[in-house]
Amino acid sequence: MSAATIFAIAACGSTNSGQSAIKSEPAVGTPANYKGTLPMPTLTGIYNNPKSRDQLKDNGSITYGTTEVTSDWNNFSVNGNTLYMNTYWSYYMPVLFISSADGGTMTPNKNYISAYKETKVNGKQTLYITFSPKAKWNDGRAIDWTAVKAAWTVQSGKNKNYTPAATNGWDQVESVKQGSSAKQAVVTMSEPYYPATSFINVYPPQAESVKAYTSGWVDNPHSEWGAGPYIIKTHSDSRVVFTPNPKWWGNKPKMTTVTYRVLDSQAEINAFKNGEIDVATISNQDDRKSVSTMKNAQIRRGYSPTIADLVLNAKVTPLNDIQVRKAFIQAVDRTQLAKIQFAGLDWTEKVPGSLLMTQTIAGYEDNMPKEAAFNTANAKKTLEADGYKLGSDGYYAKKGKTLTLSYTTFGDSSTTKARGLAIQKMLKAAGVKVEIDNHPASEFSSVVTSGKWTIMDGLGWSGNQFSYMNGVQLYGSESGSNYSFVGKKSIDQGFAKVATLPKREDQVKQANKTEKEALKLYAQLPYFCGPQSYVVKKGLANVGPSRFKTVLVEDIGWVK
């Protein structure tokens, strides 16, 4: 799917002590015990220790740390549309297309699609998708044209009983019909959508009913509805264990057991040091120091496809007032937040100005309004023009009520705490009182989707090479993934136009033009991208930053 996935952001200069300086990051990563400044990755680098299948051992096992296991296992729905669920689905659900590292080429995964063709029929864009004869759901039902029809049913947005995370592409499908056989789906578009491979997917027809879609996945991953190299052996709200699918028709997975454990950031690093897990996220300087004496570990870093977002809930008082939202954004020094995030990580970057594209993607522009720039004096002027008066306690008030904002954070990391205290200090300087509302990281999805918060820290969007097409999802006035809960029809129309343009450069120009208008609603504030940074046990292959390259889970393993 081209939809952006939501995730909880990680709480993210020395001598080299006689070691040879590492000037560029190796593909295998930098030794964890390296004492010098960590080398910056290149924009085009792959840092996942890439290896072919014949270089890997059979019958391996691996354990990862993760932030949460959501109760809703439906990755197509707004409640299940998390980066974590997207990862779990990659093990036991179909992955139809394989992306190149630069994102410029999408190749059909032959395990599922034997032929794919786009053409025009009666002047309309028409897609022919022929599924492999071997492709079956685990319950024995063939993966055929009905799986595409089911995806259209649940993602088109036409039936409001479904709650798709995004309708990109599917809302422009006119029909899905059987082709030359049941194994061929013919998709006719009412309007063109380029590239169509960015949205085409399948959904198990067994779960197509509204009841199954909305409640059938709750606390039930339904391995029988899956069709991937793994099945789910056990699951709980704190752990998921995958084992090879005995009905899988593709390459045999190199791992016989894959485990995900829910761990807070500090617990994750401790578990890695104790040998309990094989991969951990390096989120901050404390994490870096914790692993700095480990000999058989490597740090793998690359440019992140994710963007951290401060989200203002425009449906709650006082943020239903655009001037209060504007003043908040004017009072926030994003450069200072980035310094907190990257302290001790040997990382530098410019503050982002878009939620749709990172600065590493061609065509990126800073789309933030000029009036949104950090300026405490301007924040005060905005509030005063809105009728607020500064009290003797140093806070603004209107009609006898002090301007107070709740700031929701997740997890126990020192970086998260420091960021919250920095926001408090910045807003206090602008005459706004901020109260910190902290939750365990495992409550991330339930709190976000509840809408019972005022300002959300820790929310981020993980995108891909087609993220510039996600404007309707992130900013749409009727999108279930627009957690600012504010939008405009004109903005919806501007973003809807993006995918109808056949040339990428024109799509990007339209996306940038429209996002500039969306950010004038002062409800979302991109503030860092940062590195994808992991510490892994030596010998682990095909795990780590790989740009847009699709790494099939059956190809992850330990080097011989």
Side-chain angles (χ1 to χ4, degrees):
M1 293 183 289
S2 65
T5 51
I6 194 174
F7 71 103
I9 63 171
C12 251
S14 56
T15 60
N16 66 26
S17 302
Q19 288 180 315
S20 299
I22 299 177
K23 295 181 179 180
S24 60
E25 183 177 355
V28 72
T30 305
N33 63 351
Y34 177 64
K35 303 303 181 184
T37 299
L38 289 174
M40 289 288 288
T42 65
L43 293 176
T44 58
I46 302 290
Y47 303 103
N48 68 348
N49 190 21
K51 300 293 180 183
S52 60
R53 287 180 54 84
D54 60 358
Q55 295 176 289
L56 305 179
K57 298 175 183 178
D58 292 324
N59 303 317
S61 65
I62 187 169
T63 302
Y64 298 88
T66 188
T67 298
E68 68 172 13
V69 179
T70 54
S71 60
D72 192 339
W73 279 80
N74 186 357
N75 192 220
F76 276 61
S77 77
V78 67
N79 290 337
N81 179 46
T82 68
L83 178 63
Y84 321 108
M85 191 55 66
N86 193 56
T87 298
Y88 307 147
W89 267 44
S90 70
Y91 284 89
Y92 81 111
M93 288 291 181
V95 175
L96 296 191
F97 295 95
I98 298 172
S99 172
S100 60
D102 65 0
T105 304
M106 295 288 284
T107 305
N109 184 344
K110 293 299 183 181
N111 287 315
Y112 300 99
I113 297 177
S114 57
Y116 177 82
K117 183 176 75 170
E118 290 186 28
T119 187
K120 277 193 174 183
V121 177
N122 298 323
K124 294 184 177 182
Q125 182 186 25
T126 305
L127 321 175
Y128 292 86
I129 308 157
T130 305
F131 292 99
S132 166
K134 296 180 180 179
K136 292 182 180 182
W137 302 104
N138 290 336
D139 65 3
R141 179 170 176 165
I143 296 178
D144 58 16
W145 78 278
T146 62
V148 182
K149 179 178 177 292
W152 177 41
T153 298
V154 303
Q155 286 193 277
S156 68
K158 294 179 180 179
N159 186 336
K160 299 304 180 183
N161 291 313
Y162 295 103
T163 55
T167 59
N168 301 24
W170 294 107
D171 56 356
Q172 293 169 217
V173 171
E174 181 178 286
S175 66
V176 177
K177 297 180 179 179
Q178 178 177 316
S180 58
S181 72
K183 277 288 184 176
Q184 185 180 71
V186 181
V187 181
T188 302
M189 306 297 294
S190 59
E191 294 181 68
Y193 193 97
Y194 303 105
T197 52
S198 69
F199 81 90
I200 285 294
N201 211 326
V202 291
Y203 178 84
Q206 304 92 314
E208 185 178 354
S209 72
V210 171
K211 183 178 180 181
Y213 178 93
T214 56
S215 60
W217 296 90
V218 175
D219 295 323
N220 191 343
H222 286 287
S223 276
E224 76 276 12
W225 293 346
Y230 288 88
I231 58 173
I232 296 172
K233 181 180 180 181
T234 61
H235 69 94
S236 67
D237 60 1
S238 61
R239 186 187 299 260
V240 182
V241 178
F242 295 93
T243 55
N245 182 358
K247 298 180 180 179
W248 174 241
W249 56 93
N251 287 331
K252 180 182 177 182
K254 289 294 181 177
M255 299 290 189
T256 56
T257 305
V258 179
T259 303
Y260 281 85
R261 288 179 53 192
V262 174
L263 297 164
D264 276 337
S265 58
Q266 187 56 56
E268 182 179 4
I269 286 294
N270 290 338
F272 181 82
K273 289 177 65 179
N274 294 334
E276 299 170 24
I277 63 176
D278 303 296
V279 183
T281 301
I282 296 291
S283 302
N284 52 49
Q285 58 185 332
D286 293 337
D287 294 348
R288 175 73 183 93
K289 290 176 182 177
S290 292
V291 301
S292 62
T293 59
M294 299 186 70
K295 294 181 179 180
N296 295 312
Q298 297 158 329
I299 293 176
R300 300 176 183 172
R301 305 200 306 171
Y303 285 90
S304 175
T306 63
I307 303 169
D309 183 18
L310 281 180
V311 187
L312 284 66
N313 187 340
K315 72 178 182 180
V316 302
T317 304
L319 292 183
N320 55 350
D321 181 347
I322 190 173
Q323 298 306 318
V324 175
R325 301 199 301 270
K326 181 178 179 180
F328 174 87
I329 287 176
Q330 290 173 323
V332 173
D333 184 355
R334 293 182 291 159
T335 301
Q336 182 61 31
L337 296 182
K339 286 181 179 178
I340 293 171
Q341 188 70 25
F342 304 142
L345 293 182
D346 301 328
W347 188 266
T348 58
E349 68 177 24
K350 292 182 180 179
V351 173
S354 172
L355 288 178
L356 300 180
M357 286 184 285
T358 64
Q359 297 169 62
T360 61
I361 295 179
Y364 163 84
E365 293 181 12
D366 185 340
N367 294 326
M368 287 297 296
K370 290 183 179 180
E371 291 186 6
F374 168 60
N375 190 309
T376 303
N378 284 349
K380 289 184 172 183
K381 289 177 183 178
T382 298
L383 291 174
E384 289 167 4
D386 198 37
Y388 282 89
K389 294 183 179 181
L390 191 64
S392 58
D393 60 355
Y395 294 114
Y396 280 101
K398 182 191 283 189
K399 297 180 181 179
K401 190 170 184 178
T402 300
L403 181 53
T404 304
L405 300 174
S406 174
Y407 189 79
T408 298
T409 64
F410 297 92
D412 59 357
S413 77
S414 58
T415 304
T416 295
K417 293 174 183 176
R419 193 165 56 238
L421 291 174
I423 288 287
Q424 272 188 323
K425 185 176 180 180
M426 293 172 195
L427 270 294
K428 184 176 182 180
V432 181
K433 189 175 184 179
V434 171
E435 298 174 343
I436 304 297
D437 170 39
N438 181 257
H439 293 261
S442 59
E443 294 180 5
F444 171 71
S445 290
S446 60
V447 173
V448 172
T449 56
S450 73
K452 296 177 181 179
W453 46 270
T454 304
I455 298 170
M456 180 67 67
D457 170 275
L459 188 151
W461 291 102
S462 179
N464 54 33
Q465 66 270 40
F466 304 117
S467 292
Y468 59 87
M469 303 174 80
N470 291 335
V472 173
Q473 178 191 4
L474 302 191
Y475 296 107
S477 60
E478 296 183 6
S479 171
S481 297
N482 178 1
Y483 292 107
S484 70
F485 304 106
V486 66
K488 285 184 177 180
K489 291 295 182 182
S490 59
I491 292 173
D492 297 348
Q493 293 165 359
F495 282 128
K497 184 179 177 181
V498 172
T500 67
L501 303 171
K503 294 183 178 180
R504 182 191 182 279
E505 55 265 38
D506 293 331
Q507 292 179 328
V508 171
K509 286 179 182 178
Q510 179 66 23
N512 281 322
K513 176 184 175 182
T514 308
E515 189 178 33
K516 285 179 172 66
E517 295 303 310
L519 289 172
K520 288 179 182 177
L521 296 176
Y522 296 99
Q524 309 213 46
L525 184 63
Y527 65 107
F528 76 84
C529 295
Q532 277 186 308
S533 185
Y534 307 98
V535 60
V536 305
K537 287 184 180 177
K538 189 175 181 180
L540 183 59
N542 301 326
V543 172
S546 55
R547 299 183 67 208
F548 301 120
K549 180 180 176 62
T550 301
V551 177
L552 299 175
V553 293
E554 60 265 38
D555 297 339
I556 293 172
W558 297 97
V559 177
K560 291 179 179 177

